Every structure is written in structure tokens, then in C-alpha cells.
Amino acid sequence: MIEVTEAERRRASQAEELAIRGEAGVPALVALLDDASWVVRRAAIAALARIGTPAIAPLCATLRDARDSEARIVATTDALAASRGDADPAL
């Protein structure tokens, strides 16, 4: 069984709250993709995927420009793959 700390739960809940804000929450959600906790990163991935098209360009920019963290690269790729947003305008 995986143990999740209270701090991780709070940060994961924050991702859910940011998703409700839609496009306005995207920058903070993208920042959560670099969180040390995979639980928090998964929550941010799911939130960004639900936001869809408004998250695509920031995710592409992160993938292009922030290449110093393997965890962030994987999380960003996962968010893009899970999104139903339209990637064409971001390319």
C-alpha cells in the first residue's frame, strides 16, 4: 500500500481546485508537474488533461524549454497524451 502524506494530499487537492479555474489555473498546474511527489504530478496531469486546449501551448512550451527534469518531461508528455485539446494551434 502506498502511503500519501497530508502535504501531498493538500497539493493534489490544490491541483483539483486549479482545474476548476480552467485556463487561469494552467500556469500553477504546469508548475506542479515538477513536484517531488508522483501523486501530486498525477493530479496535475489529470487536471491539465481536463482543461484541454488552453493547456496545450503551455505544455508544449514546457516540453520544449524545461528539459532539466526527467520527472517533469514525463509528466508533461503524459498530460499532452491525456488531453483532448486541439494541439494544432500550439504547433
Side-chain angles (χ1 to χ4, degrees):
M1 185 159 129
I2 298 171
E3 291 190 34
V4 179
T5 68
E6 185 57 36
E8 289 172 315
R9 282 189 192 93
R10 280 194 306 272
R11 294 193 313 275
S13 291
Q14 178 187 18
E16 295 303 318
E17 293 168 15
L18 289 166
I20 293 168
R21 294 177 52 200
E23 187 172 359
V26 169
L29 285 165
V30 169
L32 286 176
L33 295 176
D34 201 29
D35 196 278
S37 168
W38 72 269
V39 171
V40 177
R41 291 193 307 272
R42 295 307 310 168
I45 289 164
L48 287 161
R50 281 195 309 276
I51 291 171
T53 301
I56 299 291
L59 287 168
C60 287
T62 298
L63 193 58
R64 182 185 61 242
D65 300 334
R67 311 275 311 162
D68 59 330
S69 165
E70 185 175 344
R72 183 188 324 106
I73 292 168
V74 170
T76 303
T77 303
D78 285 352
L80 284 166
S83 178
R84 294 188 179 181
D86 182 7
D88 285 339
L91 300 178

